Amino acid sequence: MLNFIYYPVSWIMWVWHWLFDSIMPNSPGWDGIAWALSVVFLVFTLRAILYKPFVKQIRTTKQMQEINPQMQAIRKKYANDRVKMTEEMQKLQKEHGFNPLLGCLPMFMQIPVFIGLFHVLRSFNRMGAGTSMPIGGSASGGMTAEQTRNTANYVFSADQVQNFLDARLFGVPLSSYITEPVDQFKAFVDPGQPIDFSRWQIAAVVIPLMIVASIATHMNSRASVARQSAEAMDNPQTRIMNKLALYVFPLGILVTGPFFPVAILLYWVSNNLWTYGQQHIVFGRIAREEEDAKAAKEERLRAAAPKPGARPDKTKRAPTTVAVVDGEVDDASDETKSAGGKKSSPAKGQGTTKPAANKPSPGQKPSQAKPGGARKSGSKRNKKKGRPGGR
């Protein structure tokens, strides 16, 4: 029924096993390492696919924390009107681009992966009740040891199934578990061969993996809770979820660990390792983005604000003078120095210049006429002085 999950999971695991098996020696110990790495990198592959949804989940969670005060105000305002409360909530979420489903997407996508991996690993040994499905046998009874060793497991051939059952990790099969019946141990050895492991050996491998997985789950939850805002911590639902993540889920691994195969516990450990690294990378990047955005905003505000004691800049006009030469008006600049650094003087017989009586421009120093300055050309007195022999 769930073959659309089982086949992709087994195919990814097959690819990684083919890669590691081709570079490792052919022995039960090395085969166990190759199969274990295929499980670990199956987890890494799926988590890499879920990386972008995980980032969206983090951003969605931060958005929820930001708009939580407004949501609380809406709940308080429309406590007696559920329809209006729902409408206002949806309107608020739409305004902020908040989608609650994105926060749950990575978790929901990991559930079928876990179910698929658990089923594929259990299907390597089909001696248990219900494990002979869907290839031969019945749901009420399992196969014999010889049948299960010669039956393919989804994309894995019968030879690969035998290789998996004969592989050992720390001396025990990867699909063995503490509570597994002793008669099912026969599937892990060739027919007629003695069983080379015991239940205590399985426990010696499983229990440390259970403890590591439980502690890793608690530490990841603790790191996630530490990044929550004070407003989120005040939410009763958030406090309940935090307690579940901090204590119930890690305790659940310790309680259910004896019923899961060794490979499933490897899945939990590697999944927690990936989560630990991914959280630090994603949260660190988001924190840097927020700091850069804050610094850019402060820089814009500083650039827009006037400096202390500063006046608005005014455009300065170049001072000009108007000269009258022989009855003609001529514009001249206020620079009167010649190229040699001396002031230019009017020649005899020529009219003299007089600054125009214009109002000085803003910031311009009013020009002062020299005593006895020249008058307009063409006046009666100047004309007399200009004639040869004039008196």
Side-chain angles (χ1 to χ4, degrees):
M1 183 176 65
L2 297 178
N3 288 345
F4 70 94
I5 296 175
Y6 302 149
Y7 276 99
V9 170
S10 59
W11 183 81
I12 296 174
M13 186 176 171
W14 181 91
V15 171
W16 285 113
H17 174 261
W18 172 83
L19 176 64
F20 291 116
D21 185 63
S22 61
I23 60 177
M24 292 185 178
N26 186 15
S27 65
W30 286 105
D31 289 343
I33 295 175
W35 284 106
L37 289 175
S38 67
V39 172
V40 172
F41 278 84
L42 164 67
V43 176
F44 291 169
T45 302
L46 296 173
R47 291 303 303 271
I49 295 173
L50 296 175
Y51 176 78
K52 287 188 176 181
F54 175 80
V55 175
K56 291 182 179 180
Q57 176 193 14
I58 299 302
R59 296 189 184 277
T60 300
T61 303
K62 292 185 73 66
Q63 287 179 349
M64 183 179 67
Q65 294 175 0
E66 292 174 358
I67 67 175
N68 186 58
Q70 301 177 46
M71 295 175 67
Q72 295 294 337
I74 293 174
R75 291 191 184 99
K76 185 178 180 180
K77 183 177 180 180
Y78 301 102
N80 299 324
D81 190 351
R82 293 289 181 180
V83 177
K84 185 65 175 177
M85 181 190 299
T86 304
E87 292 177 356
E88 292 296 326
M89 287 286 191
Q90 292 176 352
K91 182 180 178 180
L92 179 64
Q93 293 172 1
K94 186 177 181 180
E95 290 176 355
H96 291 80
F98 175 72
N99 189 351
L101 294 178
L102 292 177
C104 305
L105 183 62
M107 181 182 66
F108 286 150
M109 292 183 69
Q110 289 184 60
I111 292 175
V113 173
F114 175 81
I115 295 174
L117 179 61
F118 178 76
H119 179 79
V120 169
L121 292 173
R122 288 290 301 272
S123 297
F124 278 105
N125 185 352
R126 298 177 181 271
M127 293 186 66
T131 56
S132 59
M133 300 289 288
I135 306 174
S138 61
S140 59
M143 298 180 177
T144 63
E146 186 176 356
Q147 288 175 335
T148 194
R149 290 179 66 86
N150 292 279
T151 302
N153 182 20
Y154 296 99
V155 300
F156 297 104
S157 64
D159 292 338
Q160 289 174 321
V161 169
Q162 292 182 18
N163 183 270
F164 180 85
L165 294 173
D166 293 338
R168 300 290 185 267
L169 182 66
F170 303 115
V172 299
L174 285 168
S175 62
S176 61
Y177 52 98
I178 294 177
T179 58
E180 187 174 17
V182 178
D183 58 344
Q184 295 183 19
F185 290 179
K186 299 176 183 178
F188 297 114
V189 295
D190 291 328
Q193 296 294 323
I195 298 173
D196 57 348
F197 61 92
S198 64
R199 192 181 305 277
W200 290 107
Q201 287 178 288
I202 298 175
V205 176
V206 168
I207 291 176
L209 290 175
M210 289 165 45
I211 295 173
V212 171
S214 179
I215 294 175
T217 302
H218 174 78
M219 296 303 296
N220 285 331
S221 301
R222 188 174 180 178
S224 179
V225 170
R227 295 186 179 97
Q228 294 178 357
S229 62
E231 292 80 5
M233 295 291 290
D234 293 337
N235 191 341
Q237 296 180 353
T238 304
R239 290 199 298 267
I240 293 174
M241 291 302 300
N242 289 342
K243 289 181 180 180
L244 290 175
L246 287 171
Y247 306 109
V248 177
F249 294 161
L251 183 61
I253 295 176
L254 296 177
V255 173
T256 59
F259 301 94
F260 288 115
V262 174
I264 288 293
L265 295 172
L266 286 175
Y267 166 86
W268 267 334
V269 172
S270 56
N271 188 55
N272 279 286
L273 289 175
W274 178 280
T275 301
Y276 182 82
Q278 184 174 259
Q279 278 187 347
H280 282 72
I281 293 173
V282 173
F283 280 108
R285 190 180 71 178
I286 292 176
R288 287 192 297 270
E289 291 177 358
E290 292 178 349
E291 291 177 358
D292 293 341
K294 184 178 179 181
K297 183 178 179 180
E298 293 177 352
E299 184 65 25
R300 289 194 301 269
L301 293 175
R302 283 196 298 268
K307 295 181 179 180
R311 295 180 180 179
D313 293 335
K314 294 183 179 180
T315 305
K316 294 183 178 181
R317 298 176 183 178
T320 58
T321 58
V322 180
V324 180
V325 182
D326 292 334
E328 295 181 358
V329 179
D330 185 23
D331 293 340
S333 65
D334 61 345
E335 295 181 358
T336 57
K337 292 185 178 180
S338 61
K342 296 180 179 180
K343 292 183 180 180
S344 60
S345 60
K348 287 184 177 182
Q350 295 182 353
T352 58
T353 62
K354 179 180 180 181
N358 293 335
K359 186 177 181 180
S361 301
Q364 179 180 356
K365 186 176 180 180
S367 59
Q368 297 178 356
K370 294 181 179 180
R375 297 185 180 182
K376 291 184 179 179
S377 175
S379 63
K380 186 176 180 180
R381 184 176 180 180
N382 287 340
K383 285 180 178 179
K384 290 181 178 181
K385 288 183 178 182
R387 285 197 301 266
R391 292 180 182 177

